[in-house]
């Protein structure tokens, strides 16, 4: 299934709540303010970054919406390697291929 | 229905009847602070009224909706817990409550007045087996 | 794929409606269908015919109207949610004895049954909240 998260990991539990229940088969798409959760913050490893890395290693796919990154001035190079940038068409494709969509907001 | 199963929802999908199609409503927000709890519940009641196989999952801040008793007249609002008790009347009997969310809030089964408490794995299975999710 | 969109956010105050609009446009460009748009909760404000913006800013309710007209989309505003937020069509305004109406004619006003039907009939249901 597809999970969308639109809140920043720094001020809202939405991403953490989502990561707590995602499965290896799932895809997670960060949109709107959710894209801040995709920033690579090494060396200080925040909980959500650790979780993204761990989940990614077991198969969960992570994405960010390009337009929202661009609007907020987040360069692709600043994002976690585990996260793939997709455009609006990519968002639609993820939604089409998923069994269902749960929105965390 | 004792626990959510992975295959249940796919078996009857070839028909067009509402009762053969499942809808899962996910309730993540506390009552009264905004209208999501109230309007999510109204949507669940509508699903039940139309004969759809409806499940509700209370998770994260949503578990506060089930705390009883609530005296909502103190803030001049409709009583969320009382509204939730109408779910079975609309044939919505699959009411699930996330165990981890209760624990994080120092709540137990004794504090909430409805629903079956399910563990993390069952929550994952419930989400994975749903084909239609309304997120509130 | 036939998508159903549940839109819960108002224009401008949050990004939900704008995100939903972009999704809808991308879905249609990609050859997918939109079974229904269902505006609920604060999303009902996207149906306001009274929203005006300055020249340099996009008008979200207008953009929704244009998309609905261009693609002949089925757009429904939940009557209960709209009424308690003061978003009324002419019929409702008269029935309730209100001074004016403000709901764009591109949207139909109906009950939650339309949301349930959309959930059951579309291939995918997605919430923008």
């Amino acid at each position: 299934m597809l999970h969308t998260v639109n809140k920043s990991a720094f001020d809202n539990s939405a991403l953490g709540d989502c990561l707590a229940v995602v499965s290896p088969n799932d895809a997670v798409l960060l949109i709107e303010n959710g894209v801040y959760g995709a920033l690579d913050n090494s060396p200080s490893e925040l909980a959500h970054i650790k979780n993204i890395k761990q989940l990614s290693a077991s198969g969960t796919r992570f994405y960010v919406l390009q337009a929202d990154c661009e609007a907020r001035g987040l360069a692709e190079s600043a994002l976690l390697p585990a996260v793939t940038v997709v455009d609006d068409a990519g968002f639609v494709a993820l939604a089409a291929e998923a069994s269902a969509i749960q929105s965390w907001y | 229905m004792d626990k959510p199963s992975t295959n249940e929802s796919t078996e009857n999908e070839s028909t067009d009847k509402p009762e053969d199609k499942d809808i899962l409503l996910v309730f993540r927000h506390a009552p009264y602070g905004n209208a999501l709890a109230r309007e999510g519940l109204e949507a669940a009641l509508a699903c039940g009224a139309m004969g759809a196989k409806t499940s509700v999952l209370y998770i994260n801040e949503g578990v506060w909706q089930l705390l009883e008793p609530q005296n909502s007249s103190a803030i001049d609002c409709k009583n969320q817990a009382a509204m939730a008790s109408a779910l079975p009347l609309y044939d919505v009997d699959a009411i699930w409550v996330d165990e981890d969310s209760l624990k994080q809030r120092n709540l137990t089964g004794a504090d909430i007045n409805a629903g079956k408490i399910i563990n993390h794995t069952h929550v994952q299975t419930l989400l994975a087996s749903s084909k239609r999710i309304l997120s509130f | 794929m036939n998508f159903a969109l549940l839109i819960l956010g108002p224009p401008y105050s949050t990004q939900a409606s704008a995100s939903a609009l972009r999704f809808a446009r991308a879905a249609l460009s990609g050859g997918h269908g939109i079974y229904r748009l269902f505006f609920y909760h604060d999303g009902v404000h996207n149906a306001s015919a009274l929203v005006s913006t300055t020249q340099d800013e996009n008008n979200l309710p207008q953009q929704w109207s244009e998309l609905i007209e261009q693609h002949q989309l089925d757009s429904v505003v939940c009557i209960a949610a709209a009424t308690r937020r003061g978003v009324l069509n002419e019929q409702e305004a008269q029935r309730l004895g209100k001074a004016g109406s403000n709901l764009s004619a591109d949207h139909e006003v109906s009950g939650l049954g339309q949301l349930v039907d959309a959930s059951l009939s579309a291939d995918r249901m997605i919430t923008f909240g």
Side-chain angles (χ1 to χ4, degrees):
Chain A
M1 64 179 290
L2 173 66
H3 302 261
T4 67
V5 179
N6 72 351
K7 295 287 188 300
S8 171
F10 295 92
D11 85 333
N12 192 288
S13 66
L15 180 58
D17 291 339
C18 168
L19 297 181
V21 298
V22 292
S23 303
N25 296 336
D26 293 350
V28 178
L29 172 66
L30 304 177
I31 68 171
E32 301 175 18
N33 285 346
V35 300
Y36 292 117
L39 284 169
D40 194 346
N41 218 42
S42 319
S44 67
E45 288 253 315
L46 301 162
H48 71 271
I49 292 179
K50 279 204 194 90
N51 288 333
I52 288 173
K53 287 181 178 175
Q54 266 169 18
L55 288 163
S56 175
S58 44
T60 308
R61 293 158 293 135
F62 288 90
Y63 303 90
V64 272
L65 201 51
Q66 182 197 13
D68 284 317
C69 288
E70 205 178 307
R72 290 161 179 75
L74 307 187
E76 284 188 33
S77 54
L79 305 178
L80 290 161
V83 180
T84 305
V85 180
V86 293
D87 58 11
D88 293 351
F91 184 177
V92 172
L94 287 170
E97 81 188 21
S99 50
I101 302 137
Q102 159 63 9
S103 304
W104 304 80
Y105 57 87
Chain B
M1 178 159 61
D2 247 9
K3 64 175 182 181
S5 80
T6 36
N7 295 320
E8 200 177 85
S9 62
T10 54
E11 280 162 12
N12 291 319
E13 289 292 314
S14 56
T15 77
D16 275 332
K17 293 185 257 169
E19 61 267 27
D20 292 334
K21 292 188 178 182
D22 66 272
I23 300 180
L24 171 67
L25 293 100
V26 179
F27 294 162
R28 290 191 58 244
H29 291 87
Y32 311 119
N34 58 38
L36 288 167
R38 183 239 172 117
E39 291 182 325
L41 188 61
E42 286 178 351
L45 295 171
C47 291
M50 297 231 340
K53 213 162 65 172
T54 310
S55 305
V56 172
L57 171 65
Y58 288 90
I59 190 169
N60 311 137
E61 287 290 272
V63 301
W64 295 118
Q65 294 182 37
L66 298 172
L67 206 65
E68 285 228 71
Q70 293 172 14
N71 181 18
S72 64
S73 61
I75 53 171
D76 205 10
C77 269
K78 291 178 96 162
N79 190 310
Q80 185 69 27
M83 285 203 297
S85 67
L87 284 167
L89 301 174
Y90 286 78
D91 292 322
V92 183
D93 299 302
I95 301 165
W96 311 107
V97 186
D98 174 54
E99 184 179 53
D100 291 344
S101 301
L102 290 175
K103 280 190 184 150
Q104 281 161 12
R105 290 159 181 78
N106 205 29
L107 297 171
T108 68
D111 299 306
I112 61 166
N113 221 19
K116 193 154 248 164
I117 299 174
I118 55 173
N119 66 22
H120 174 259
T121 308
H122 287 163
V123 170
Q124 287 182 308
T125 307
L126 178 63
L127 289 169
S129 64
S130 298
K131 285 192 152 27
R132 290 150 213 99
I133 299 174
L134 297 174
S135 310
F136 284 98
Chain C
M1 283 285 149
N2 242 351
F3 288 99
L5 275 63
L6 172 61
I7 299 138
L8 304 176
Y12 309 111
S13 306
T14 73
Q15 201 183 346
S17 173
S19 294
L21 181 68
R22 289 206 346 263
F23 182 93
R25 284 174 175 160
L28 291 163
S29 300
H32 298 283
I34 296 200
Y35 181 83
R36 181 168 296 137
L37 303 167
F38 194 87
F39 292 91
Y40 188 38
H41 186 64
D42 292 337
V44 301
H45 291 293
N46 287 288
S48 171
L50 297 187
V51 168
S52 305
T53 54
T54 53
Q55 290 262 344
D56 64 342
E57 196 165 7
N58 64 322
N59 185 319
L60 257 171
Q62 195 175 299
Q63 287 174 318
W64 276 116
S65 279
E66 281 164 7
L67 192 76
I68 290 163
E69 280 172 27
Q70 188 188 349
H71 296 273
Q72 295 290 292
L73 301 180
D74 181 8
S75 179
V76 176
V77 171
C78 175
I79 186 169
T83 308
R84 58 173 165 263
R85 288 170 176 78
V87 179
L88 308 171
N89 61 15
E90 234 178 270
Q91 190 183 2
E92 282 308 292
Q94 273 180 26
R95 184 177 75 83
L96 297 164
K98 295 299 179 184
S101 61
N102 58 358
L103 206 153
S104 157
D106 290 302
H107 305 271
E108 186 200 330
V109 171
S110 190
L112 284 166
Q114 295 281 53
L115 173 60
V116 182
D117 171 75
S119 308
L120 297 175
S121 305
D123 298 312
R124 296 290 182 273
M125 162 62 75
I126 179 165
T127 306
F128 289 89

